[in-house]
């Protein structure tokens, strides 16, 4: 039972960490090299990594998706999708896909004359599963060495874990004040019942022994 409890706790925190890591905004300093539009199939389980801003998107087997190709300062490529999130999850309320696509086209630059931007996005990049992070914001910066402090993530995680801690403290106090005494009372009742049964058994044995001696 103890192993099951700790296994459940471990799985819970791993799942929660994965959701937060996927959903919270991330920042990449990159050089945009190209934008394009491509039709994507949405027929397998990986459709959960594509946005569904419209009701009809849940019934479509494929649709056109905009992409932004970029290169990091270390030369490694990164590809972003550009989709509206609408009112869905994560709650970025992104409705300006066309504007962001225009900004990305305007920010294109070459290796010899780079123009660096910060792409704010959420999600993961996985080449094997064809999963792309979704770009939500583009901002021009002076160079690839600009330091980006994720203030939103810091504040959000601080408040989130403060709430978790407060709830845990209140639950522990409630358990100690209400649940533990109740369980102890039930346990004492079981022990008392067991003692009474054992006493009756002893009395019955003594009665039988008295007949044997006769």
């Amino acid at each position: 039972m103890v192993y099951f409890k700790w296994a459940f706790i471990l799985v819970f925190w791993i799942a929660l960490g994965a959701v937060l890591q996927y959903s919270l905004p991330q920042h990449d300093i990159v050089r945009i090299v190209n934008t394009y539009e491509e039709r994507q199939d949405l027929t397998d389980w990986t459709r959960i990594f594509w946005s569904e801003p419209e009701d009809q998107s849940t019934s479509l087997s494929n649709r056109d998706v905009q992409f932004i190709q970029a290169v990091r300062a270390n030369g490694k490529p990164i590809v972003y999708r550009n989709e509206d999130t609408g009112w869905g999850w994560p709650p970025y309320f992104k409705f300006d896909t066309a504007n962001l696509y225009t900004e990305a086209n305007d920010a294109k630059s070459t290796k010899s004359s780079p123009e660096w931007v910060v792409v704010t996005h959420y999600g993961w990049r996985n080449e094997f599963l064809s999963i792309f992070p979704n770009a939500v914001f583009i901002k021009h910066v002076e160079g690839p060495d600009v330091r980006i402090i994720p203030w939103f993530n810091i504040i959000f995680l601080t408040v989130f874990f403060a709430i978790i801690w407060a709830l845990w403290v209140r639950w522990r106090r409630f358990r100690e004040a209400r649940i533990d005494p109740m369980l102890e009372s039930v346990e004492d009742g079981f022990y008392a019942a067991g003692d009474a049964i054992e006493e009756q058994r002893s009395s019955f044995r003594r009665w039988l022994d008295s007949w044997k001696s006769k």
Side-chain angles (χ1 to χ4, degrees):
M1 188 65 181
V2 175
Y3 291 109
F4 175 78
K5 171 185 175 181
W6 285 108
F8 175 80
I9 293 174
L10 181 63
V11 171
F12 171 80
W13 284 110
I14 290 176
L16 179 61
V19 171
L20 291 176
Q21 203 278 334
Y22 179 87
S23 304
L24 290 176
Q26 304 168 44
H27 309 278
D28 296 337
I29 299 179
V30 299
R31 175 174 57 87
I32 296 176
V33 297
N34 189 34
T35 59
Y36 67 97
E37 190 170 314
E38 183 176 85
R39 182 161 290 270
Q40 295 291 317
D41 292 328
L42 308 174
T43 55
D44 59 8
W45 67 272
T46 58
R47 71 179 300 141
I48 64 174
F49 296 106
W50 300 90
S51 297
E52 296 183 356
E54 301 175 357
D55 293 338
Q56 64 174 352
S57 64
T58 58
S59 60
L60 292 176
S61 60
N62 55 67
R63 67 164 179 262
D64 292 329
V65 180
Q66 296 175 353
F67 292 91
I68 301 172
Q69 293 177 310
V71 177
R72 296 188 177 96
N74 59 9
K76 293 184 178 181
I78 178 70
V79 181
Y80 307 93
R81 58 188 168 95
N82 180 28
E83 294 187 285
D84 283 342
T85 61
W87 301 99
W89 182 268
Y92 283 91
F93 310 114
K94 178 186 174 187
F95 298 95
D96 61 343
T97 293
N99 292 344
L100 191 67
Y101 196 64
T102 303
E103 293 176 15
N105 277 287
D106 186 56
K108 283 194 263 186
S109 63
T110 62
K111 189 175 182 179
S112 59
S113 181
E115 183 177 344
W116 299 98
V117 297
V118 174
V119 177
T120 301
H121 65 87
Y122 71 89
W124 302 321
R125 177 70 177 109
N126 187 292
E127 291 83 359
F128 180 73
L129 298 176
S130 296
I131 299 173
F132 302 89
N134 190 13
V136 295
F137 187 72
I138 294 176
K139 178 182 178 182
H140 291 265
V141 292
E142 296 180 357
D145 298 326
V146 174
R147 184 179 181 183
I148 305 299
I149 301 177
W151 289 112
F152 177 83
N153 291 357
I154 293 172
I155 295 173
F156 175 85
L157 291 176
T158 300
V159 174
F160 177 79
F161 284 109
I163 293 174
I164 294 295
W165 172 260
L167 291 175
W168 183 78
V169 170
R170 281 163 176 75
W171 159 251
R172 187 179 63 178
R173 290 175 179 173
F174 174 79
R175 186 186 63 186
E176 293 176 351
R178 299 294 182 85
I179 298 179
D180 288 349
M182 185 183 302
L183 293 178
E184 291 176 0
S185 177
V186 172
E187 186 177 0
D188 292 341
F190 278 124
Y191 282 136
D195 293 340
I197 294 174
E198 185 62 30
E199 179 65 26
Q200 290 179 0
R201 288 178 178 175
S202 299
S203 299
F204 184 69
R205 290 195 192 99
R206 288 195 298 269
W207 180 75
L208 288 176
D209 291 340
S210 66
W211 278 95
K212 289 179 181 179
S213 62
K214 295 180 180 179

